[in-house]
Amino acid sequence: MRQSCVRAVNVQRASPAPDNAVRAADPVLTEALVTIALALAGRAGARLATTLGMPCGRDLLMKMIRTLPAPEVPAVKVLGVDDLAIRRRHTYNTILIDMATHRPIDVLPDREAATVAAWLVEHPGVEVVCRDRAGAYAEGARTGAPDAIQVADRFHSWQNLCEAVGKTVNSHYHCLRVQAEWATPEPEPTPEPVPAAVLAPEPALPPRPERRLAIRTRERFEAVQSRLAAGMSRAAVGRELNPDQQTVRRFADATTPAELLVKCENRVTKLDSYREQVHALWNAGVTDAAVITERIRPLGFTGSVQIVRRCLRAFRIPGTSRSRPDPVRRRATPSGPMIPKPRKISRWILSHPDHLDHDETLEIKDLLTRCEHLHRLDGHARSFAAIVTGRRGTEITDWIERVEADDLPALHTFATGLRRDLAAVTNGLSLEHNSGAVEGAVTRAKALKRQCYGRANLDLLGLRILLTP
């Protein structure tokens, strides 16, 4: 076998047609090398082939893949369509899947509607098109196969609902915080009596400096809102300020900077489950962050002392020593139960009631009673979940009308998107078709792309996607 491989490589170096020479030298060896090249690409394939006694270079393996004929496109009745990012936000391809066999059948050079429509015209017979909610694929399927049934995947619809729920919880999270502050007001510190002779006029404490992220967010909010108020369009604001289009939309839809600061000020940390113990130790007079960290480690805390120090920074009066803080010149922490982070509240709203334990069920019920908007949001989310799981797509129109009659802007945007693609959404929530096989094929194609180490041109990557078993 090793001598055959050497002869094949020598013939490849001398002949202007290396693929034919290798096949003529040893078809079994060629088939083995092609299998290795399809599975591992160039460098990894060359290392494995050398280990197995078939030494060859990575360039030869890549040439052997490129000389393989592309498989013929079979007749397809149920077609899956999705995009594949070659270079995110710059270069995209379209991958087409036969939903009957779950195998890729073609890879298109872009994700434009005209390209998809042209492919459908060249390959008639498609009866069902499974896709996400991208407008380009909807237009391409409508143009190239007007008689085909379009199915918008229900997973993507549920994913869009989750995003809308998260935005709504963020925008109304301040209501829960204000009510918590009213329920547990901070007690005023009681300083010890000091002789009158020692008393001196105490200088005013400087206000606590605001975080740079908060300052930048407020400045950008004012810049976007002022330009919109002056009559500029969102596109013009984006061209002038040069942020991402989604950033402009987020700042334009917000009514106050507090809505934008909720996410950055309430990030999930390792300390979230131990904040009540930290607050209790602080109120008991333990003000050293290192000591508090050692006290909560037996409870399971695995974070660093810096996390605890950042948590306690909000309760230290500016001007005091960090290593030896004055127990009088400090603010008391809230003594009541901590409000869960917005992400946790969103997860509770989007989870099935049977998947929540007893404490979580009681806590989410208490939170929903504090904010009427969140209570209505919970009802809409559970109604949509029943439509998705029960495949009751005919009820989606009534659900959209109920949402549009409510005061929840994020859900309004989601409902507008559903109404724009109502037929495909209804099919996706009623029929058995879904894009699960398409998403799996895209994940597999991404793994093949990363194996190419930047040499994933369409002629090479497309053959690997179509031919790799």
Side-chain angles (χ1 to χ4, degrees), residues 1-6 8-9 22 28-62 64:
M1 175 67 74
R2 185 180 182 89
Q3 295 177 353
S4 300
C5 178
V6 173
V9 174
V22 173
V28 177
L29 173 62
T30 301
E31 183 179 357
L33 292 177
V34 168
T35 303
I36 293 175
L38 289 174
L40 298 177
R43 294 183 180 179
R47 289 195 296 266
L48 177 62
T50 302
T51 303
L52 296 178
M54 300 178 292
C56 63
R58 62 177 185 267
D59 293 331
L60 173 60
L61 295 180
M62 295 296 97
M64 297 177 73

Side-chain angles (χ1 to χ4, degrees), residues 12-304:
Q12 184 270 336
R13 291 174 178 173
S15 173
D19 51 319
N20 297 331
V22 173
R23 291 192 179 93
D26 195 330
V28 177
L29 173 62
T30 301
E31 183 179 357
L33 292 177
V34 168
T35 303
I36 293 175
L38 289 174
L40 298 177
R43 294 183 180 179
R47 289 195 296 266
L48 177 62
T50 302
T51 303
L52 296 178
M54 300 178 292
C56 63
R58 62 177 185 267
D59 293 331
L60 173 60
L61 295 180
M62 295 296 97
K63 290 179 181 179
M64 297 177 73
I65 295 178
R66 284 190 169 97
T67 57
L68 295 175
E72 296 184 359
V73 178
V76 180
K77 291 186 177 181
V78 183
L79 179 70
V81 184
D82 202 356
D83 58 1
L84 170 65
I86 302 301
R87 185 183 178 193
R88 191 172 183 181
R89 298 185 180 179
H90 290 83
T91 307
Y92 287 86
N93 293 152
T94 297
I95 185 170
L96 305 178
I97 307 296
D98 184 359
M99 302 302 291
T101 60
H102 294 182
R103 289 289 305 172
I105 57 175
D106 207 347
V107 181
L108 305 182
D110 53 42
R111 56 174 181 176
E112 301 297 330
T115 305
V116 177
W119 189 93
L120 290 172
V121 171
E122 295 176 1
H123 303 84
V126 176
E127 300 177 358
V128 179
V129 177
C130 299
R131 58 174 177 82
D132 56 14
R133 297 181 57 215
Y137 293 146
E139 179 64 25
R142 188 163 45 249
T143 304
D147 298 331
I149 299 175
Q150 297 191 37
V151 178
D153 186 43
R154 51 184 171 269
F155 165 77
H156 291 89
S157 299
W158 178 256
Q159 187 180 40
N160 297 144
L161 174 72
C162 295
E163 296 173 357
V165 169
K167 294 178 181 179
T168 305
V169 172
N170 287 336
S171 61
H172 292 279
Y173 188 72
H174 65 280
C175 301
L176 304 178
R177 298 185 63 175
V178 170
Q179 292 185 12
E181 291 176 1
W182 288 348
T184 58
E186 294 185 2
E188 295 293 335
T190 56
E192 298 180 358
V194 181
V198 182
L199 288 176
E202 183 175 326
L205 295 175
R208 179 174 179 79
E210 198 172 20
R211 297 177 60 185
R212 287 180 295 177
L213 178 59
I215 296 175
R216 186 170 66 249
T217 301
R218 296 182 190 279
E219 293 176 351
R220 182 172 290 182
F221 175 80
E222 295 176 359
V224 172
Q225 293 293 336
S226 62
R227 285 164 174 76
L228 293 176
M232 295 179 62
S233 64
R234 296 187 179 186
V237 173
R239 287 192 296 268
E240 181 175 341
L241 300 179
N242 198 30
D244 186 74
Q245 181 181 1
Q246 299 295 334
T247 302
V248 176
R249 181 183 303 174
R250 186 162 53 91
F251 278 79
D253 293 338
T255 56
T256 61
E259 298 180 11
L260 303 169
L261 293 173
V262 168
K263 186 175 182 179
C264 65
E265 292 179 350
N266 296 277
R267 295 176 178 174
V268 178
T269 66
K270 295 182 179 181
L271 190 63
D272 293 342
S273 303
Y274 309 95
R275 287 185 180 270
E276 295 185 12
Q277 291 83 352
V278 171
H279 290 177
L281 291 172
W282 174 270
N283 292 333
V286 183
T287 57
D288 191 341
V291 176
I292 295 178
T293 304
E294 295 303 323
R295 295 280 187 91
I296 63 177
R297 286 205 184 280
L299 303 178
F301 176 67
T302 59
S304 65

